[in-house]
Amino acid sequence: MNDFLKNIFVWLVLGSIIFLVFNNVEPSAPRETISYSQFKQEVLSDRVSEVTYKGDQMTIFGQRLDGSKFKTNHPIYKSDPVLDAALQENGVITSYEEVEQPSVWSQLLVGAFPILLLLAIFFFFMRQMQGSMSGRGGPMSFGKSKAKLMEGGKVKTTFKDVAGCEEAKQDVQELVDYLKDPTRFQKVGGKIPRGVLMVGPPGTGKTLLARATAGEARVPFFSISGSDFVEMFVGVGASRVRDMFEQARKNAPCIIFIDEIDAVGRSRSQGMSGGHEEREQTLNQMLVEMDGFEGNEGVIIIAATNRVDILDKALLRPGRFDRQVQVNLPDALGREKILKVHAKKVPLGPDVDLKRLAKGMPMYSGADLANVINEAALLAARANKRVVTMDDFENAKDKVSMGPERRSMLQSKEQIELVAYHEAGHAIAGLNVPSLEKLNKVTIIPRGNAGGYAQYTPEEHMPRRREHMKARLVTAFGGRAAEEIIYGDEGVTGGASGDIRQATAIARQMVEELGFSEKLGHLYYGRSGFDPYMGPTKEISEQAAAIIEEETRDLVEWALGEARRILNDNVDALHRLKAALIEHETLSAEEVERVVAGEELHRPEEIDDDENGTGSSGFLPQIGAGSVSDGGSAAGGAAPTTAFDPGK
């Protein structure tokens, strides 16, 4: 409202100036300009009816008998007796008009108008520059901090809004206590950490936790991204760092949060060229500013990154980022709490079990869980439902992880039968090995790039035994073995390419890293070096590399042979499971076990909608199918999935 009133005032002043200027300009009607001799001749010829002498009588305005008007100038500074006599003789109306002299103020205003206009333009640009310096943006803002300031008390996020990272909240609780009562620590000579580095995978809630810390302490909160410091102009980043810390000192006690600090804090020893001077200057200025704080100034820096390994060591030394807070992926209890937080505004159906949903989504981050909740709500709205049901959540999990359904991918009967045998092979192989990964669902409905897939739920926080990893190898080759048994060697497709890639990664990990090779012993042959030009390197001999290749091959071939043996012993079950998949498209783990045992499978009803024509329950999405992480599950937030690739 203040800006609105200021604008009105400015326009009123400008309008007044324009009115005064134009008010002093007399509008004149168009007149013919003639010479003085012509004017004199017309008077002598009695063609003039009226004459007006204006001002100093040097300007003459006249009107003829025919009504036309003219104007002329008196060439001499004395009267003309001949003209005066003719005017009197012909009865010409003669008048004298004095010109009203403008006031001194009007003359000053008219004369100073150009100067006032230039001053107005000058002050306009000065205000723009002042606005940019105060953080409102402008033509001179590139040297100022882009940190967004939220005043104390305006940050509404608290620890109640953060779930799934209880240990991390305990680590930052000390910061809150200090900001609320710094004298408590000063009495005993204690100093709060100047910087806290939050480390964890993407989507685990690092930014949310930092905001909640400011909300709990009710102090100003500066938020900025690491990339905002880096510009093409030399010295801009360092200038923004100085400005940010200067603002923080003025608002102390406060919190500065730098998201993705690895954008500016990358190690100065890395890189292939010397074109990083601007980034290094920015980093050096940040190091200086952090050292420049006095002990208990009340300014705490919180930074977040998921690449702590590439940060400069100078940032991590004591006195700068004194403390690292691990914000890891939530466990089952944490996932349940996160689901409850995000489901507060979602009307849930009576069949929704958030605890079961949480257990069925290992390796999921908080962002993944929030996305599943949102997709479930969208699916329910699309179906004109009043509440979100369990089926909506299950469909949402598959849609988020694997993509939308693509029923048009498998059009022929032969294709559907091939995929059914492939996925049935995975399921039967997995049921006959001592695996920690429980079968969750099997489906032949294409999603994303997968023509069908079998999903497994891994046991969390369980040690990786050799027998369990070998069981994963056998399960991965169940699809390829089923194709060989049903169609023969010549009828095998390339649909198991992802399974082969996954099995190879598992076998190589067993040989190189976990010490499960008798020939290599208990040595580590994983990646042990880093070359700035070649990337990760392995410092192993050619002999050791050959043995690794041989041992990996032996494990893979053993797994394929074991999968063939299991499926040959269960051919009848393979055919029954294939038929059930073709009929129902998706089977839960309980239904798979019933079909394999030879029981009849009857469903009370088949749910058929746009997203999923199954009524399966308890299945888990796959994000990044076929990839293997160090934790023994598919990377990106889901359980291992064996998928059929229709493009191979």
Side-chain angles (χ1 to χ4, degrees), residues 122-134 136-141:
F122 173 75
F123 282 113
F124 172 77
F125 280 101
M126 287 297 296
R127 284 181 59 86
Q128 291 294 106
M129 294 172 60
Q130 292 175 0
S132 67
M133 294 174 64
S134 62
R136 296 191 295 268
M140 303 297 291
S141 63

Side-chain angles (χ1 to χ4, degrees), residues 464-467 469-470 506-507 509-519 521-522 551 555:
R464 289 174 292 172
R465 301 183 184 276
R466 181 185 300 191
E467 62 175 348
M469 300 198 70
K470 293 174 70 174
I506 297 173
Q509 185 183 43
M510 294 174 63
V511 174
E512 293 183 346
E513 303 177 18
L514 304 181
F516 291 159
S517 172
E518 296 180 359
K519 294 182 179 180
H522 300 86
E551 290 285 271
L555 278 172

Side-chain angles (χ1 to χ4, degrees), residues 297-330:
E297 229 177 34
V299 180
I300 296 177
I301 307 170
I302 301 178
T305 181
N306 51 27
R307 295 293 309 279
V308 67
D309 56 306
I310 65 174
L311 293 182
D312 196 279
K313 302 301 181 184
L315 274 175
L316 305 178
R317 75 159 176 82
R320 288 168 179 155
F321 285 104
D322 305 87
R323 181 177 298 179
Q324 291 190 19
V325 177
Q326 295 290 332
V327 187
N328 298 318
L329 293 172

Side-chain angles (χ1 to χ4, degrees), residues 281-295:
Q281 288 185 19
T282 305
L283 175 59
N284 291 334
Q285 185 63 44
M286 185 174 295
L287 298 175
V288 170
E289 292 291 342
M290 295 185 71
D291 280 340
F293 281 138
E294 297 295 333

